[in-house]
Amino acid sequence: MCETGDTFLLLLLLPSVLSLVLFLILLRRTRPRLNLPPGKSGWPFLGETIGYLKPYSATSLGDFMQHHVSRYGKIYRSNLFGERTIVSADAGLNRFILQNEGKLFECSYPRSIGGILGKWSMLVLVGDMHRDMRSISLNFMSHARLRTHLMKEVERHTLFVLDSWEEDTVFSAQDEAKKFTFNLMAKHIMSMDPGEEETEQLKKEYVTFMKGVVSAPLNLPGTAYRKALQSRSTILKFIEGKMEERKGKMEEEGGGEEKEQRMDDDLMGWVLKHSNLSTEQILDLILSLLFAGHETSSVAIALSIFFLQACPKAVQQLREEHIEIKKKKEKLELDWDDYKKMEFTQCVINETLRLGNVVRFLHRKALKDVRYKGYDIPSGWKVLPVISAVHLDPSVYDQSHLFNPWRWQQQNSGTCGSSSAGCGYSSMWSNNFMPFGGGPRLCAGSELAKLEMAVFIHHLVLNFHWELAEDDNAFAFPFVDFPKGLPIRVRRYPNPL
Ligand code: HEM
Ligand SMILES: *[C@@H]1O[C@H](CO)[C@@H](O)[C@H](O)[C@H]1NC(C)=O
Ligand SMILES: *[C@@H]1O[C@H](CO)[C@@H](O)[C@H](O)[C@H]1NC(C)=O
């Protein structure tokens, strides 16, 4: 009974099963098969995220990238941050992605970043709103402002930090670099002065905030992320208080050329006067500028202190360059002409950014189906251009693992820690060097960051000899950090210039 029943059922269903199979075969034929880059998906949901985020030495690619690139090539697919992802260590594809922002690809940071930096933060905005916010930031760090206003501020804040250094004590160079960049940003954005009670308070709150930005986005009681969300609202309340205070002053003082000028002196005054952004938008803008302008350049400065202490020959050459600049000066403060003379310093800065890779990869997603070098990148997929991978590629930069500022000179005149000479590719710079990203989202503060590094290096090499007090190394978590804070000991040169 049962058997005949089953057979009967089977016979009844057979035609539909057959046609379904036929249909599927036809579907496969008519729909072109995607040629996805090779790779694997890893665990459900987590994918390969844990491996990808495992800390590694900042001057290396890390095991994960190393293994995947050697196994699959410079373009591979994976499953990261809960999404299907194409990872690119390919210079050409990275450039292609960044140049096609808004057309084929779009900025796409994880939701947790938006939660903490705010939905109006520049990192998460796209389209017109991004353009408006960007032009405010660019305006505020324009070449003209750098020359006139920022140059002086940068030097003042450098000296504020360096003058506090004591001989025969051990201190964290990373903390000192953070102090410098934080003070500078707080002054530039809200006219807050270092050392003052409220500045120090904000700095403390900000440290908690930062821990959350870089932590796992678990919004549970007691987690770093939850604490950071609380910090975020404390900081926003603080900034809002400052803003109300400012608005009050603006009304009180009214017009007047001179006062107008003074209002333009910091970002808050400028935005209040010249833009029609809402309070919420201004708060997020200020918070994200504080973040973008402080965390990155402080790491870059710490990295230069770290690389240089292992390369006395470069320090010697820097000293010669800066003594020469100092000797020819009449005025005490640095000016733009002095800055332009810091040629070898620029090589040191580029090499620090190349080898240290402050920002290692960017978050994008494909807006359309894209074909690149025969590979398909399906619309909606996450795309991660790994800018650091190109900087550490030995086929692009000879002996890429070595700190060699001379490779940036047209004529090479020596290397550090290696016997062979570096190389001066002329097209290499624009094509393969992108520490500040590229395209329509190129870092708005890149010129400021380089100015900060140069001025800091100027006073550092003129006044101090420094050494590591304890072994430490830069790790990528993937944000770059020195686990021990880069402890150093300094000696002042006996005859300061
Ligand atoms: C060495 C230091 C720095 C490095 C390595 C760096 C790196 C970067 C990178 C790679 C991006 C692109 C992000 C993306 O495309 O997704 C970026 C964006 C940005 N950076 Fe920097 N940055 C540095 C310093 C600064 C400073 C000092 C400021 C000043 C406030 C700043 C402000 C910004 C802003 C506003 C953006 C967003 C630009 C946009 O979306 O249009 N950065 N930065
Ligand atoms: C600011 O005003 C202009 C018109 O003057 C308008 O086009 C723009 O959308 C406004 N922006 C915001 C953020 O409200
Ligand atoms: C440093 O890199 C930039 C590209 O970001 C390039 O324009 C500049 O010429 C480089 N500087 C030196 C000294 O090579």
Side-chain angles (χ1 to χ4, degrees):
M1 234 333 236
C2 260
E3 269 170 30
T4 27
D6 274 358
T7 317
F8 179 71
L9 200 66
L10 196 69
L11 280 174
L12 199 71
L13 283 178
L14 199 59
S16 38
V17 169
L18 274 178
S19 53
L20 185 69
V21 169
L22 203 68
F23 175 75
L24 284 176
I25 290 172
L26 278 173
L27 192 72
R28 270 184 100 92
R29 282 260 179 84
T30 46
R31 209 179 139 210
R33 271 178 62 100
L34 289 181
N35 184 28
L36 292 172
K40 62 172 190 224
S41 310
W43 299 90
F45 187 71
L46 272 180
E48 301 186 285
T49 313
I50 291 175
Y52 186 79
L53 294 179
K54 197 169 149 227
Y56 55 91
S57 165
T59 58
S60 77
L61 271 186
D63 283 347
F64 184 91
M65 277 301 279
Q66 200 91 56
H67 284 152
H68 280 66
V69 168
S70 59
R71 180 145 174 219
Y72 302 119
K74 288 181 184 170
I75 304 173
Y76 60 87
R77 78 167 190 276
S78 180
N79 184 351
L80 299 171
F81 310 104
E83 294 187 71
R84 293 177 300 180
T85 304
I86 305 291
V87 181
S88 164
D90 183 277
L93 179 53
N94 288 355
R95 212 163 39 244
F96 182 74
I97 295 166
L98 298 182
Q99 299 299 340
N100 283 289
E101 173 76 18
K103 294 177 228 146
L104 303 177
F105 301 93
E106 188 173 79
C107 198
S108 171
Y109 280 83
R111 266 235 299 285
S112 57
I113 297 279
I116 211 152
L117 287 179
K119 66 171 188 281
W120 299 106
S121 144
M122 288 201 57
L123 265 191
V124 298
L125 286 178
V126 294
D128 291 349
M129 201 57 224
H130 169 257
R131 199 201 46 216
D132 290 352
M133 290 278 202
R134 181 176 170 83
S135 80
I136 292 176
S137 316
L138 285 178
N139 199 314
F140 212 71
M141 289 176 276
S142 68
H143 193 64
R145 278 192 82 85
L146 282 177
R147 290 177 75 129
T148 55
H149 194 76
L150 278 162
M151 183 87 205
K152 263 189 249 131
E153 285 296 325
V154 170
E155 186 170 31
R156 204 165 67 83
H157 288 285
T158 299
L159 292 172
F160 183 84
V161 165
L162 289 185
D163 285 349
S164 74
W165 285 12
E166 282 173 23
E167 291 184 293
D168 302 322
T169 59
V170 173
F171 56 86
S172 156
Q174 180 165 260
D175 286 352
E176 295 299 300
K178 287 209 159 126
K179 243 188 245 169
F180 162 56
T181 59
F182 185 88
N183 289 344
L184 179 71
M185 287 322 275
K187 176 75 185 179
H188 189 50
I189 293 174
M190 296 181 281
S191 296
M192 293 173 65
D193 284 306
E196 279 180 9
E197 174 96 16
E198 56 172 17
T199 315
E200 298 308 310
Q201 248 176 338
L202 180 64
K203 199 183 294 170
K204 245 203 230 137
E205 202 61 52
Y206 189 83
V207 171
T208 317
F209 174 71
M210 248 330 280
K211 282 190 188 137
V213 175
V214 299
S215 73
L218 294 173
N219 191 4
L220 299 171
T223 59
Y225 187 74
R226 170 69 69 90
K227 284 187 193 140
L229 287 177
Q230 282 153 3
S231 261
R232 169 181 159 82
S233 49
T234 310
I235 295 172
L236 289 186
K237 263 195 217 107
F238 177 87
I239 302 174
E240 197 171 0
K242 285 243 127 200
M243 236 164 85
E244 291 307 321
E245 205 179 284
R246 186 68 63 87
K247 278 189 197 154
K249 267 194 206 147
M250 281 165 92
E251 271 162 24
E252 214 171 88
E253 292 180 351
E257 279 291 303
E258 208 174 300
K259 278 162 195 159
E260 296 254 324
Q261 204 67 44
R262 213 180 322 135
M263 280 304 168
D264 283 352
D265 270 0
D266 66 8
L267 182 107
M268 185 182 269
W270 195 91
V271 172
L272 283 174
K273 215 158 73 80
H274 299 282
S275 83
N276 54 359
L277 297 179
S278 69
T279 302
E280 195 193 6
Q281 289 170 333
I282 297 177
L283 292 179
D284 280 356
L285 174 68
I286 289 181
L287 189 70
S288 66
L289 279 180
L290 203 56
F291 168 75
H294 157 53
E295 286 303 323
T296 46
S297 42
S298 62
V299 172
I301 289 168
L303 283 165
S304 66
I305 293 174
F306 176 67
F307 291 141
L308 284 170
Q309 83 34 70
C311 189
K313 210 171 128 198
V315 177
Q316 186 51 38
Q317 193 165 334
L318 280 173
R319 258 179 78 74
E320 282 161 20
E321 177 163 290
H322 290 281
I323 287 173
E324 198 57 32
I325 290 168
K326 189 87 187 169
K327 264 206 311 222
K328 292 210 176 112
K329 285 183 65 62
E330 280 156 21
K331 277 192 303 171
L332 222 52
E333 307 112 57
L334 287 170
D335 59 27
W336 201 254
D337 289 335
D338 300 324
Y339 179 52
K340 287 287 129 197
K341 288 186 200 133
M342 302 179 181
E343 283 176 13
F344 183 62
T345 310
Q346 288 299 329
C347 298
V348 168
I349 290 171
N350 278 9
E351 186 65 352
T352 299
L353 296 173
R354 181 196 69 80
L355 185 59
N357 290 294
V358 177
V359 176
R360 311 192 71 89
F361 62 93
L362 308 172
H363 288 265
R364 296 292 188 268
K365 69 168 187 246
L367 292 174
K368 303 197 172 122
D369 289 335
V370 179
R371 225 183 147 80
Y372 186 86
K373 282 189 185 163
Y375 285 137
D376 286 306
I377 303 173
S379 173
W381 279 46
K382 199 81 198 264
V383 182
L384 301 183
V386 184
I387 47 183
S388 56
V390 181
H391 298 164
L392 299 172
D393 183 344
S395 69
V396 179
Y397 296 93
D398 197 34
Q399 307 225 34
S400 58
H401 60 292
L402 295 179
F403 181 75
N404 175 11
W406 296 277
R407 75 170 83 235
W408 295 93
Q409 287 182 322
Q410 291 303 334
Q411 302 104 2
N412 300 293
S413 50
T415 60
C416 205
S418 98
S419 51
S420 89
C423 38
Y425 303 92
S426 47
S427 65
M428 179 187 79
W429 297 322
S430 49
N431 287 339
N432 294 322
F433 186 55
M434 29 179 94
F436 297 107
R441 303 189 82 104
L442 176 73
C443 174
S446 62
E447 290 307 316
L448 174 60
K450 286 194 261 187
L451 182 67
E452 288 175 48
M453 292 177 78
V455 172
F456 196 92
I457 288 174
H458 173 81
H459 288 291
L460 177 69
V461 298
L462 280 181
N463 291 292
F464 292 100
H465 170 87
W466 70 100
E467 60 189 20
L468 279 193
E470 225 184 301
D471 252 354
D472 203 358
N473 202 349
F475 282 90
F477 285 96
F479 61 96
V480 177
D481 189 49
F482 290 89
K484 293 183 195 157
L486 192 60
I488 59 167
R489 199 181 285 116
V490 300
R491 194 156 45 72
R492 249 175 218 283
Y493 284 112
N495 196 0
L497 284 147

